[in-house]
């Protein structure tokens, strides 16, 4: 975090209708409160720019997380005006038509402090969904080839692009109602491995995702798919897992 804070812009660069933004920012842990800040409006300003300005210029004790600033790492995800988003890729003009903004930590995860959430439960669920590749080759073997045009590879062309940002997980109502639910990201990961012809852990992975807190708990409301910043569809992968689990059950494999 070595960038310098955005300084107040020249008046000519400010939108004519607004000189400052009123920003409500979550402070504290689970039982915190919102604190209000006035932040200068800038052209092409992102939500992450606003958070950075507050931390650098108004209150250095504000905690938040980011790394790449270009939509690659997913670490800057927060709740902005009620919806989970990557803050570095969210322009202020996209989320407010007025002068106010509310920024909070991601939902469905414990708050560590201010805008930082504890992602342990999120990644524990990847592990519970057997989201780890299980191959058979050793470093002495040749690379296993996966043909780009194969049916299984094409089924997960998009899903393998998930970067584990947690936006879908934070947006899923079923996770809110049932904290045991594996959630869209872990199930999306299971779907990619289920279609990986090199992986050897298929039956136990299907068993892991077919339980009460697995794919059958999804209500197919598609909030995860609507909110994913990478435009992936965890819902489609979950539907694929439901079909695969059913077939495996009929075959007596589960
Ligand atoms: S599916 Fe999309 S929203 Fe969910 S963790 Fe992956 S990249 Fe993020
Ligand atoms: S489609 Fe399923 S996983 Fe996605 S938000 Fe809805 S309930 Fe959650
Ligand atoms: S900081 Fe990496 S995606 Fe926003």
């Amino acid at each position: 975090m070595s960038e310098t804070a955005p300084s107040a812009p020249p008046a000519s660069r400010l939108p004519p209708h607004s000189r400052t933004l009123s920003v409500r920012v979550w402070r504290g842990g689970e039982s915190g409160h919102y604190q209000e800040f006035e932040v200068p409006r800038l052209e092409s300003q992102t939500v992450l720019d606003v958070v950075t300005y507050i931390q650098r210029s108004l209150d250095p004790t504000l905690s938040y997380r980011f790394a790449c600033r270009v939509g690659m790492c997913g670490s800057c995800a927060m709740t902005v005006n009620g919806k989970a988003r990557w803050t570095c890729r969210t322009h202020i003009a996209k989320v407010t038509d007025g002068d106010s903004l509310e920024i909070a930590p991601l939902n469905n995860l414990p708050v560590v402090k201010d805008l930082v959430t504890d992602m342990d439960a999120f990644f524990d669920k990847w592990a519970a969904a057997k989201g780890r590749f299980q191959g058979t080759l050793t470093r002495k073997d040749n690379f296993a080839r996966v043909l780009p045009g194969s049916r299984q590879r094409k089924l997960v062309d998009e899903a393998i692009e998930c970067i584990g940002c947690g936006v879908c997980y934070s947006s899923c109502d079923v996770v809110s109602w049932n904290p045991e639910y594996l959630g869209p990201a872990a199930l999306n990961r299971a779907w990619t491995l289920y279609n990986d012809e090199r992986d050897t852990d298929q039956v136990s992975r299907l068993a892991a995702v077919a339980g009460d807190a697995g794919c059958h708990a999804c209500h197919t409301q598609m909030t995860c798919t609507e909110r994913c910043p990478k435009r992936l569809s965890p819902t489609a992968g979950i539907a694929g897992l439901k079909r695969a689990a059913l077939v495996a059950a009929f075959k007596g494999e589960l």
Side-chain angles (χ1 to χ4, degrees):
M1 301 206 304
S2 59
E3 301 86 22
T4 52
S7 52
S12 59
R13 287 182 57 207
L14 290 169
H17 62 282
S18 175
R19 303 294 173 199
T20 59
L21 270 175
S22 294
V23 189
R24 281 161 49 83
V25 180
W26 185 258
R27 303 306 305 269
E30 298 288 343
S31 57
H33 61 280
Y34 282 98
Q35 183 178 0
E36 197 145 329
F37 297 94
E38 293 293 313
V39 176
R41 243 350 241 275
L42 290 168
E43 233 178 317
S44 301
Q45 188 176 25
T46 66
V47 175
L48 186 60
D49 290 336
V50 167
V51 176
T52 301
Y53 178 88
I54 294 171
Q55 201 254 7
R56 301 286 166 84
S57 304
L58 304 177
D59 186 345
T61 68
L62 177 67
S63 298
Y64 66 112
R65 201 185 265 142
F66 75 92
C68 72
R69 300 192 79 149
V70 290
M72 290 184 72
C73 70
S75 65
C76 66
M78 301 172 202
T79 305
V80 182
N81 283 357
K83 289 187 181 169
R85 297 174 177 280
W86 291 347
T87 53
C88 73
R89 300 291 283 175
T90 302
H91 282 244
I92 297 299
K94 184 175 169 186
V95 284
T96 178
D97 52 6
D99 300 333
S100 58
L101 198 63
E102 189 175 277
I103 309 174
L106 287 177
N107 292 325
N108 295 342
L109 289 161
V111 181
V112 177
K113 178 177 177 284
D114 301 338
L115 302 171
V116 177
T117 48
D118 181 347
M119 302 291 285
D120 276 1
F122 177 77
F123 289 111
D124 286 349
K125 288 180 180 179
W126 280 55
K130 295 203 174 279
R132 184 173 161 207
F133 176 75
Q134 191 72 51
T136 52
L137 300 183
T138 69
R139 63 178 63 194
K140 295 188 178 124
D141 295 310
N142 282 332
F143 287 112
R145 293 184 66 213
V146 176
L147 295 178
S150 73
R151 192 187 74 85
Q152 278 181 299
R153 177 60 179 76
K154 280 172 148 176
L155 275 175
V156 295
D157 259 355
E158 292 179 352
I160 59 171
E161 299 294 334
C162 172
I163 59 171
C165 66
V167 163
C168 57
Y169 184 86
S170 163
S171 307
C172 176
D173 285 340
V174 177
V175 176
S176 308
W177 303 328
N178 176 9
E180 299 302 311
Y181 176 45
L182 292 171
L187 292 170
N188 178 75
R189 172 68 178 162
W191 174 240
T192 65
L193 290 177
Y194 175 73
N195 286 288
D196 190 325
E197 61 200 48
R198 302 163 303 172
D199 190 280
T200 56
D201 205 16
Q202 302 300 350
V203 173
S204 62
R205 181 172 300 108
L206 267 188
V209 302
D212 287 348
C215 58
H216 297 296
C218 169
H219 288 192
T220 324
Q221 291 160 315
M222 296 190 67
T223 318
C224 53
T225 299
E226 284 164 20
R227 303 271 169 84
C228 172
K230 297 203 67 147
R231 299 174 192 267
L232 311 182
S233 179
T235 321
I238 294 168
L241 287 174
K242 285 180 181 175
R243 287 191 299 272
L246 205 60
V247 171
F250 276 132
K251 286 182 177 171
E253 293 172 352
L254 291 187

